[in-house]
Amino acid sequence: MQYDVTAVGLDPHTGVVIAGPRTERIDPETNAAFEGCEGLWEIEDAYEAYWNRINDSWERSFPPGKEKVKVLRVEQVL
């Protein structure tokens, strides 16, 4: 099963949209970052974690100039 994920990039301090929306096709069978994900919510969680939790230090200090990715929609692709 493949999924189309639509997301935007937000300024983490103001919430202003600075990128997107954009849609990316995810295939958990071929993309190691999504291996084992089943269902829309697992894909959404893994997608945001992939982009927003690259480095453990980001938990307390998100890097300046880096947008925070927020998923708007996840759809199954038949």
Side-chain angles (χ1 to χ4, degrees):
M1 180 67 58
Q2 295 183 357
Y3 301 88
D4 281 348
V5 178
T6 302
V8 295
L10 304 174
D11 179 305
H13 300 289
T14 66
V16 172
V17 176
I18 56 176
R22 75 174 207 152
T23 302
E24 183 176 357
R25 174 105 2 121
I26 302 295
D27 184 348
E29 291 186 19
T30 61
N31 188 327
F34 297 89
E35 186 177 348
C37 288
E38 295 182 17
L40 305 176
W41 284 354
E42 287 186 13
I43 295 293
E44 180 177 336
D45 292 345
Y47 192 89
E48 287 191 4
Y50 177 81
W51 289 109
N52 298 325
R53 299 180 181 171
I54 294 171
N55 187 311
D56 287 342
S57 69
W58 292 15
E59 182 177 9
R60 301 211 189 288
S61 179
F62 211 76
K66 174 76 170 106
E67 71 271 5
K68 184 168 270 195
V69 174
K70 296 307 290 177
V71 172
L72 301 175
R73 178 178 59 247
V74 179
E75 299 173 301
Q76 287 183 332
V77 179
L78 302 176

